[in-house]
Every structure is written in structure tokens, then in C-alpha cells.
Amino acid sequence: MATSTCHQTKGVSSMELRHLRYFLAVAEEQSFTRAAEKLLIAQPPLSFQIKQLEREIGVKLFVRSGRGISLTRAGVALKEGATKIMSLAAGTVEAARKVGRGEAGQLDVGVVGSAAYTRIPFAIGKFRQTHPDVSLRLWELSTPKQIELLLDSKLDVAIVRSSSITFAGVKTNVLVNEPFVAAVPRKHPLARVKKAKPALLANENFIVYPRDERPGLYVQVLKICEQAGFEPRIVQQSSQIPTILSLVAAGLGIAIVPASVLNTPWKGVIPLPLVTSYRSEIAVAALQSCDNPAAKPFLQSLLE
């Protein structure tokens, strides 16, 4: 009994999909001649393959008579299973092809929270529509954390608030280039000003981004003030745009923010355009060695 089990296991393991395809053709056509024509092979090799399959399985699959051929009970059972196997194999192959073409699979993307105020969410939404079989996982992370994970290949793409990423092997493209504005309380005297030089902000209390979480924006705000000849009086820090704007609306101070942040009106806050050469950039970064096929069409969607 043990010997028989071993023999059957060996036979099944050596069976090829080609054998099942030949078997199904003969079973469906009920004729070796018609099956050979369908498969575009000669009849003798087909007959040989079927006999080889019967030897490996250890049972007869066809009853041969002068009137033609028909399936044995074992053949009927094999046909049912073989049909499922071939269907599964075809689906598996197509799934692999879709992943290889970037039409399926998983894509991990880091994104800074402030990107939500720009056109970037619409580009991401467009990608979801055109690539519904890609499992897109978005991670809201600071720029330093994104770069860390990107270099560790734990992120496929990083959408960051800086284009000055100079790590070897990382390619960046600017997605958004925008001016800075001052967010001031609605009842503040500066709220009536059309445009201002940063020097007008010298005596104001500042709400800024934490240097360790938003280093790019933090440094740029300091440089804007430094260029205007003063050091900002920082009274509060927050990494969250809604928190910053809420503090401004409450009259705790002003904040220098990317213009897109105030594209949507915020209750109690007025945007004051600033006369400065500094601009805020959002860039997309990816490893040049990235082997995720879905990254390429995603990047194209962002850059269009």
C-alpha cells in the first residue's frame, strides 16, 4: 500500500500542464484526429502523450472502440479537475502579467499632509480610476521619515515638501511650485493689506512648523525672516496645518505657509501675499532602482 501511494505521488508531481491541455482537447473533441488539428500537432505525438498521462496516473482515461472514444469514470473526474486547474493557471498567468505591466499589485506611497491642499489628491484619484487593481496604500508622513523609508525600500514613492533631496540613487521631480503667504487673524491690521514685504511681520508672534518634523518649511520660514532683517519671535509650534490655522484664527500669532494651504477659505484667517523670492515646492521622489512596475504609471499620473 505504501509503495502504491509513493508511485501515485511521483506520477502527479511529474504531470505537466501540457498533458492536461492535450487531455482536455481530446475529451472535448472526442476524437484524437480533431484534437490534434485543434492543437496544431500530429496525431501520433498526441496519442503518445495521452498514453503517457494514463501511465503516470495509473488509470485508463478513455474507452477506445470502433465508434470512437469516450471518457471512463476516471476520465470524467480528471476532466472536471483539469478544467479548474487550467482555468486557475490561466488566471494566475494573467495576474502575473498585470503585475508586471504595473496594472495590479501593491504600491506604498508616502505623502506630506499639506499636499492635500494641492492638485495632488486629484492626480492620485485619477490613478485609482485607471488602475483599479493596484492596491494603493498612502502613508501620511513627514519628509525625513519618508526619505528614511524610501532609502530602506519600505516606500515605493515619496511625496515630500522639498526638491533638494540629494541622496544617491534617488530621483526627484517637482510637482508643485508655489509662493508663500502670511496667514493672519481676520481682525489683525495686516488683514487689510493687499501685499506685504516680510519686514512688516518683524514685530509679530510666529506659529511655525517643528524643525525636526518639517525641516524644509521651518528653514524656509526662518530664511524669509532673515532676508527681511529679523529673527521671528516663535510662540508656538505645530506640524499640523489645521492646528496652525486654528491658532492663527484665535489670535495667538501669524504663520507663513504655502499659498495652497489657504486656497480654501479658513474661518477667521486671511491670506497675506508676501513679496519674497522664496517659494515652496512639493516633489515626488523614488529610487532609481525601484522594481515595482506600478510606480511608473503612478509617477506619470502625478507628472501629467
Side-chain angles (χ1 to χ4, degrees):
M1 185 68 178
T3 303
S4 175
T5 302
C6 179
H7 173 75
Q8 288 178 3
T9 302
K10 180 180 178 181
V12 171
S13 65
S14 63
M15 186 190 305
E16 299 179 10
L17 289 178
R18 170 171 51 87
H19 289 115
L20 295 183
R21 184 163 63 89
Y22 288 172
F23 163 75
L24 286 175
V26 176
E28 290 167 0
E29 296 296 330
Q30 294 186 335
S31 165
F32 280 92
T33 301
R34 290 194 298 272
E37 292 174 352
K38 181 179 180 179
L39 294 168
L40 301 179
I41 61 175
Q43 182 176 331
L46 175 59
S47 297
F48 174 79
Q49 293 291 338
I50 296 300
K51 289 179 180 178
Q52 185 180 45
L53 178 61
E54 289 177 322
R55 283 198 302 271
E56 289 183 352
I57 297 176
V59 296
K60 287 290 183 180
L61 299 174
F62 295 99
V63 176
R64 298 161 177 83
S65 66
R67 293 177 296 176
I69 62 172
S70 60
L71 288 169
T72 63
R73 289 181 181 271
V76 171
L78 182 61
K79 181 182 179 182
E80 181 179 347
T83 300
K84 293 178 181 178
I85 291 172
M86 295 303 292
S87 177
L88 178 61
T92 302
V93 169
E94 180 56 25
R97 286 172 176 164
K98 290 183 71 174
V99 171
R101 294 193 299 260
E103 298 172 2
Q106 179 174 299
L107 188 67
D108 287 283
V109 178
V111 58
V112 288
S114 54
Y117 300 94
T118 69
R119 65 171 182 82
I120 292 174
F122 298 98
I124 293 175
K126 180 181 178 181
F127 177 80
R128 282 190 182 277
Q129 291 177 349
T130 57
H131 294 73
D133 293 328
V134 174
S135 176
L136 182 61
R137 302 201 301 180
L138 300 176
W139 305 92
E140 185 177 343
L141 300 166
S142 66
T143 294
K145 187 62 178 179
Q146 285 193 63
I147 298 306
E148 175 189 335
L149 294 177
L150 185 69
L151 293 174
D152 201 26
S153 297
K154 293 181 179 178
L155 282 180
D156 299 303
V157 178
I159 299 175
V160 296
R161 263 283 177 186
S162 174
S163 61
S164 56
I165 300 171
T166 57
F167 294 94
V170 177
K171 183 179 181 180
T172 62
N173 292 96
V174 174
L175 300 177
V176 178
N177 183 299
E178 59 182 330
F180 281 98
V181 300
V184 301
R186 181 174 293 277
K187 295 183 179 179
H188 195 286
L190 288 174
R192 297 189 293 272
V193 178
K194 298 290 185 181
K195 184 178 288 189
K197 293 181 178 180
L200 283 179
L201 310 177
N203 297 321
E204 302 296 329
N205 293 327
F206 275 76
I207 303 165
V208 300
Y209 309 92
R211 183 167 195 163
D212 58 338
E213 295 184 38
R214 302 287 188 269
L217 286 173
Y218 177 88
V219 170
Q220 284 187 296
V221 169
L222 261 62
K223 286 184 176 180
I224 289 172
C225 297
E226 180 183 337
Q227 189 180 55
F230 71 95
E231 183 177 337
R233 184 167 62 244
I234 299 173
V235 296
Q236 185 66 47
Q237 297 185 28
S238 177
S239 60
Q240 301 298 319
I241 294 294
T243 302
I244 291 175
L245 296 181
S246 295
L247 294 174
V248 171
L252 272 68
I254 68 165
I256 295 178
V257 297
S260 61
V261 168
L262 288 171
N263 281 343
T264 301
W266 187 274
K267 186 177 180 180
V269 178
I270 299 296
L272 172 60
L274 296 176
V275 182
T276 176
S277 59
Y278 285 99
R279 296 179 69 84
S280 177
E281 292 182 340
I282 296 180
V284 59
L287 293 177
Q288 292 177 335
S289 59
C290 178
D291 61 354
N292 190 333
K296 184 176 180 179
F298 180 77
L299 292 172
Q300 290 174 339
S301 294
L302 291 177
L303 294 170
E304 287 178 354

